[in-house]
Amino acid sequence: MELSLTEQLCYCTVRIECQNSTGQISTGSGFFFNFKKSEKEIIPIVVTNKHVVNGMTIGRFIMTKADTNGNPTNTDHFTVTLPNLQSFIRQHPDSDVDLCALPLAPILNHAQQNGIRLFYKSFDISLIPTAQQLDELTALEDILMIGYPNGIWDSINNLPILRRGSTATHPCIDYNGKKEFMIDAACFPGSSGSPILIFNPSGYTTKTGNIIMGSSRVLLVGVLYAGAQHTATGEIKVMTVPTFQQPVAFSRIPNNLGVVIKSERILELEKLFN
C-alpha cells in the first residue's frame, strides 16, 4: 500500500488519554520521534507536553496494527495502558520548557513478543530544520497541525484531525526571548502536544523570492503547548492549552493564536534516554 505524504503524517501522532486519582479524564496529543544512536540503534519515544501528563496516574493511547505485508489495518488496534504513568515519563530538565517524553521501546518489545505487528511513522532529526533551512523561512509560512482538538478523532480508524494555519510570528525569532513562536490556527483543548509542521506539498517561495516548484517541503518546527485567551475581565493571557473540557461560562475565549515550542528543544530530551 502506497501512502501519500499527508496519509503518512496521520500515523505519526497518538491521542493521549489520562486519568487522575479522582477518576477525571483528560486528553492531549503526542507524536512518535526517533533518536538515532548509531546506524543500527534508535531510541523511539512519544513526545508530548508536561501539562498533559502532570498529576495523572494512568495513561492510555492506541496504536494501529499492521497486516502481514506491513500495511496499516486501521480498524484493528493495540491499546497501550500505563497504570503507573509517572514512572514512564521523562521530563525536560528545564522547568520552563513544557516538554516531556516516554520510552516507546518497552511497548514495541511487548507487542512483538506477543506477535502483534504495529504500524506507525516517526519524526526524526532529519525533519528538524537546519540553520540553512531556517534562513529560508519568512515571517508568514503555511503550517499543518496534527492532533486531537477537544479529544476529537476518528476512533474507528484511529486517525487524528489535521488543521491548516500559518505562522503568526517569525519562526526563526525567539518570541518574547524564548525558543518559541506563535501560530494562527484553531488551538482547542486536547491539541496540547500536537506537532507543528511547515507544510508545502507542491512547492514554496524562499525569503529571497526564489520559487521552488514541484518539490515538497515538510519541516517539524515545533510543539504546540499554549494559547492566547481573553479572560472575563478583558485581559489577554497566554495559558497552556487545557486538557480538560471547560464550561463556556468560565469566560476564557481562545483567539486562535497558539504558542509553539521550537523543535530544536526536542533534541534536548535525548540525554534523558542514555
Side-chain angles (χ1 to χ4, degrees):
M1 178 189 297
E2 185 174 349
L3 297 174
S4 69
L5 183 55
T6 50
E7 287 172 330
Q8 292 182 58
L9 290 171
C10 286
Y11 295 97
C12 292
T13 63
V14 287
R15 178 182 182 272
I16 299 174
E17 184 177 291
C18 297
Q19 182 177 326
N20 63 19
S21 58
T22 65
Q24 189 174 20
I25 302 292
S26 68
T27 60
S29 304
F31 58 91
F32 302 113
F33 192 92
N34 285 342
F35 291 121
K36 186 176 182 180
K37 301 297 289 183
S38 67
E39 289 300 320
K40 296 183 178 180
E41 183 184 4
I42 63 169
I43 299 175
I45 63 172
V46 175
V47 178
T48 188
N49 295 136
K50 291 175 179 175
H51 79 264
V52 169
V53 298
N54 281 353
M56 297 295 158
T57 55
I58 300 173
R60 298 183 189 89
F61 61 87
I62 291 174
M63 298 182 69
T64 298
K65 291 185 180 180
D67 61 22
T68 54
N69 295 318
N71 296 316
T73 54
N74 288 339
T75 57
D76 196 5
H77 308 150
F78 175 64
T79 301
V80 177
T81 301
L82 305 174
N84 189 13
L85 178 61
Q86 296 307 314
S87 67
F88 287 91
I89 299 301
R90 311 286 177 88
Q91 304 261 359
H92 190 286
D94 188 334
S95 60
D96 289 332
V97 179
D98 194 353
L99 282 180
C100 67
L102 61 89
L104 190 62
I107 295 164
L108 299 178
N109 291 338
H110 173 77
Q112 185 178 36
Q113 290 166 6
N114 287 274
I116 299 171
R117 300 181 180 89
L118 297 175
F119 187 90
Y120 68 101
K121 296 289 185 179
S122 294
F123 298 115
D124 59 31
I125 193 172
S126 68
L127 289 177
I128 293 180
T130 63
Q132 180 180 348
Q133 289 171 319
L134 287 172
D135 192 50
E136 294 177 347
L137 299 180
T138 66
L140 185 66
E141 298 284 354
D142 294 329
I143 62 103
L144 174 65
M145 177 170 61
I146 311 171
Y148 307 87
N150 295 120
I152 297 170
W153 60 320
D154 180 349
S155 60
I156 300 298
N157 295 292
N158 191 32
L159 291 172
I161 305 300
L162 286 73
R163 311 196 82 155
R164 300 295 297 267
S166 66
T167 54
T169 65
H170 203 304
C172 301
I173 295 175
D174 290 347
Y175 177 70
N176 277 341
K178 295 183 177 182
K179 291 187 182 300
E180 300 173 357
F181 65 95
M182 295 193 78
I183 59 171
D184 185 355
C187 306
F188 287 89
S191 296
S192 292
S194 294
I196 306 299
L197 303 127
I198 285 181
F199 185 71
N200 309 115
S202 304
Y204 56 94
T205 303
T206 66
K207 183 166 58 177
T208 57
N210 293 327
I211 300 175
I212 311 299
M213 296 295 294
S215 178
S216 62
R217 179 174 65 169
V218 180
L219 300 173
L220 176 61
V221 287
V223 185
L224 179 75
Y225 87 99
Q229 297 184 355
H230 297 275
T231 68
T233 60
E235 295 177 284
I236 298 177
K237 292 185 176 181
V238 174
M239 312 173 75
T240 55
V241 180
T243 54
F244 295 101
Q245 299 298 320
Q246 294 176 335
V248 175
F250 195 64
S251 298
R252 288 180 179 173
I253 306 169
N255 59 11
N256 282 11
L257 289 175
V259 187
V260 177
I261 300 168
K262 292 186 177 182
S263 57
E264 64 189 84
R265 308 226 68 162
I266 297 172
L267 302 178
E268 297 167 359
L269 296 169
E270 182 174 9
K271 60 186 177 182
L272 303 177
F273 295 89
N274 290 334

